């Protein structure tokens, strides 16, 4: 468990909750849901980084567990000692990840949104990968919990990564509360692009059946699909997205439009 909230006895019988932002807790062996699994006198334990830098998220690179803090990056190492089974080694003391749901796993690295760049960690080093768009990360809105609203996912079919984020540079009032932009990273060509859309969460979807013409929401003239498109085959792993109003939809990279995914709540007709 990382960045734990625990009951703490403060005075007499009074028990309050306290957040240990840089703490790692591990259970005893076997079933972690058993009643005594987390008792420190029965082989469970804890490890504090001692930095007061909050743990934001974790990700696996093969057999290495990468710990992303707000302004630093660590790796959890198996010591082989049953009394002290884990040790935390600092990889970088300046670069970390600010947005928990921005962390995307790749084969040999993890990528996430930090306070001053989009950072890549390979288990040895942490580097910025957004040198071609160095100012873009500073457009992420810091109000309305903007950094925690960033969401990312990897699209294996298009070989791209998507991040939805609230852009503070949008001039429409209150439009930066929820994500209003999609940053796209083509990791084969190391190129970037941006889309205008509202997405708060990403996931994956396996359609168990073929897509038929009857199920399509567009006319023959508007549709870009071929009969044998891989995306329309059974059990193709599609990227599914959702927004703040509860609409969900499948992301198709070749559609030149946004989905009909946000309702119009107010309309004023002036004159004719």
């Amino acid at each position: 468990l990382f960045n734990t909230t625990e009951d703490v006895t403060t005075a007499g019988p009074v028990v309050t909750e306290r957040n240990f932002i840089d703490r790692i807790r591990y259970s005893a062996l076997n079933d972690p849901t058993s009643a005594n699994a987390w008792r420190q006198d029965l082989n469970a334990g804890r490890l504090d980084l001692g930095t007061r830098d909050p743990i934001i998220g974790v990700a696996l690179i093969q057999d290495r567990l990468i710990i992303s803090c707000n302004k630093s990056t660590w790796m959890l190492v198996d010591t082989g000692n049953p009394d002290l089974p884990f040790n935390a080694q600092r990889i970088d003391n300046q670069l970390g990840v600010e947005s928990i749901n921005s962390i995307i796993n790749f084969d040999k690295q993890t990528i996430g949104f930090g306070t001053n760049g989009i950072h890549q960690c390979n288990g040895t080093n942490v580097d910025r990968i957004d040198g071609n768009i160095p100012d873009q990360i500073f457009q992420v809105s810091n109000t309305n919990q903007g950094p925690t609203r960033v969401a990312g996912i990897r699209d294996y079919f298009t070989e791209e990564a998507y991040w939805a984020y609230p852009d503070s540079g949008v001039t429409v009032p209150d439009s930066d509360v929820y994500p209003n932009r999609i940053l796209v990273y083509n990791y084969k060509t190391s190129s970037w692009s941006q889309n205008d859309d509202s997405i708060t969460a990403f996931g994956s979807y396996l359609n168990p059946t073929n897509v038929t013409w009857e199920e399509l929401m567009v006319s023959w003239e508007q549709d870009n699909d071929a009969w044998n498109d891989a995306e329309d085959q059974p059990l193709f792993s599609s990227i599914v997205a959702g927004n703040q109003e509860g609409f969900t939809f499948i992301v198709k990279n070749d559609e030149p439009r946004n989905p009909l995914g946000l309702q119009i709540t107010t309309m004023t007709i002036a004159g004719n």
Side-chain angles (χ1 to χ4, degrees), residues 27 35 56 73 77-79 89 154 162 170 178 180 182 201 212 220 233 238-239 245 248 258 271:
S27 70
I56 301 301
T73 304
V77 179
D78 186 354
T79 65
Q89 295 181 357
R154 179 183 180 183
Y162 311 140
V170 177
Y178 299 102
N180 50 34
I182 311 297
T212 64
W220 285 69
Q233 305 307 311
S238 299
I239 302 298
E245 294 183 358
T248 57
N258 287 347

Side-chain angles (χ1 to χ4, degrees), residues 139-212:
Q139 292 296 319
V140 178
S141 175
N142 287 317
T143 60
N144 300 306
Q145 299 180 332
T148 64
R149 298 184 188 274
V150 178
I153 198 168
R154 179 183 180 183
D155 190 336
Y156 290 86
F157 182 63
T158 63
E159 298 183 303
E160 294 173 326
Y162 311 140
W163 287 279
Y165 71 98
D167 193 319
S168 61
V170 177
T171 57
V172 179
D174 300 321
S175 65
D176 63 342
V177 175
Y178 299 102
N180 50 34
R181 291 288 185 270
I182 311 297
L183 187 64
V184 181
Y185 173 51
N186 186 310
Y187 51 84
K188 295 293 289 185
T189 61
S190 297
S191 58
W192 301 85
S193 60
Q194 191 180 66
N195 295 330
D196 179 2
D197 208 343
S198 297
I199 292 174
T200 56
F202 287 107
S204 59
Y205 171 68
L206 299 177
N207 189 357
T209 60
N210 291 71
V211 176
T212 64

Side-chain angles (χ1 to χ4, degrees), residues 221-237:
E221 294 82 2
Q222 295 173 313
D223 188 63
N224 297 320
D225 290 348
W227 284 100
N228 60 348
D229 270 358
E231 298 170 274
D232 296 332
Q233 305 307 311
L235 302 179
F236 178 84
S237 182

Side-chain angles (χ1 to χ4, degrees), residues 72-88:
S72 61
T73 304
W74 301 69
M75 180 169 63
L76 196 64
V77 179
D78 186 354
T79 65
N81 182 352
D83 295 325
L84 293 171
F86 300 109
N87 185 29

Side-chain angles (χ1 to χ4, degrees), residues 6 20 23-26 40 44-48 84:
E6 306 175 15
F20 295 90
R23 174 164 292 179
I24 303 165
R25 278 199 176 272
Y26 51 89
Q40 285 189 228
R46 77 183 190 202
L47 178 65
D48 294 330
L84 293 171

